[in-house]
Amino acid sequence: MRQKDSSDLESPTAQFPTIGPATVQPLLELEGVSRVYGDEVEVFALREVSLRIMPGEFMSIVGPSGSGKSTMLGLLGLLDLPTTGIVRITGHDVSALDDPQRSRLRGDVIGFVFQQFHLIPHLSALGNVETALLYRDIRPKDRRERAFDALDRLGLAARADHRPVQMSGGEQQRVALARAIVTDPMMILADEPTGALDSANAAHVLEIFAGLGTPERAVVVVTHDLAVAATAHRKVSMRDGRIVADESRAA
């Protein structure tokens, strides 16, 4: 685990209990959550969903278009709040926080990975990873070292000075993964992370995902692909805004 920098002292997570291997408290919990859109005509994107994500889990959330996956992603990523129900981080209701606090909390505890990578074209791989640390009170030298270490962990040390256009799709996705883990988040949340990759690169990226979890960190992959979902140790299936199955297999 990284040493905490001084910005952590001002973080909304500072009041939260430390998560360790012996902890049985969920990292993130949805309790009776519904998300409704529209006024005159209400559309339920989620209906009474309850879910616990525990430290150390490698979980997939799978379902067809319209099943509620994207809405679930927004709630898990603290990008949205439920219409009814409760979202908790380590036992604390996030609705009690204002927008800036939720944004800061999101940056502290969640590492995001997206289908289209969202890398900055004019920055090198190293520069892209550094962007996740720009608003923390870290010396530039230390920030650069941490970014390089994250790239090295994913086998990209030799590509640190390359821009996205100079890298393959698989390499770009690994840069995005490095950016997600450099903050040492409690949860990696990936949205269709193999959707823009060929089968060989997709398989490689999924192997990397399986190794990103720690006893303190959960990895959650949101996908429509049943084969991708099956690589996780726990598979949550959705349909019509509800969880219809929650299956686990041996790690």
Side-chain angles (χ1 to χ4, degrees), residues 123-126 128 158-167 175:
L123 293 181
S124 66
L126 187 64
N128 269 281
R159 310 289 274 173
D161 62 348
H162 287 60
R163 290 181 292 113
V165 70
Q166 298 171 305
M167 294 182 286
V175 173

Side-chain angles (χ1 to χ4, degrees), residues 30 46-52 59 61-62 67 72 234-247:
L30 307 182
L46 288 180
R47 291 177 179 269
E48 295 293 322
V49 169
S50 294
L51 180 71
R52 290 186 170 191
M59 173 193 293
I61 298 174
V62 65
S67 63
M72 177 80 88
R234 180 182 174 195
K235 183 176 73 173
V236 173
S237 300
M238 297 191 67
R239 185 173 294 277
D240 299 329
R242 301 181 187 272
I243 292 176
V244 294
D246 190 342
E247 307 162 275

Side-chain angles (χ1 to χ4, degrees), residues 126 130 140-150:
L126 187 64
E130 280 191 86
K141 178 177 180 292
D142 294 337
R143 185 175 66 223
R144 183 156 290 246
E145 287 179 355
R146 282 173 55 173
F148 185 84
D149 287 346

Side-chain angles (χ1 to χ4, degrees), residues 3-47:
Q3 292 184 342
K4 291 185 179 296
D5 53 69
S6 60
S7 68
D8 290 327
L9 300 179
E10 302 173 0
S11 166
T13 60
Q15 61 178 309
F16 293 176
T18 301
I19 297 295
T23 302
V24 295
Q25 185 179 48
L27 287 181
L28 194 147
E29 181 178 14
L30 307 182
E31 182 180 319
V33 163
S34 294
R35 185 65 174 94
V36 183
Y37 296 98
D39 296 321
E40 293 184 6
V41 178
E42 293 187 339
V43 177
F44 279 79
L46 288 180
R47 291 177 179 269

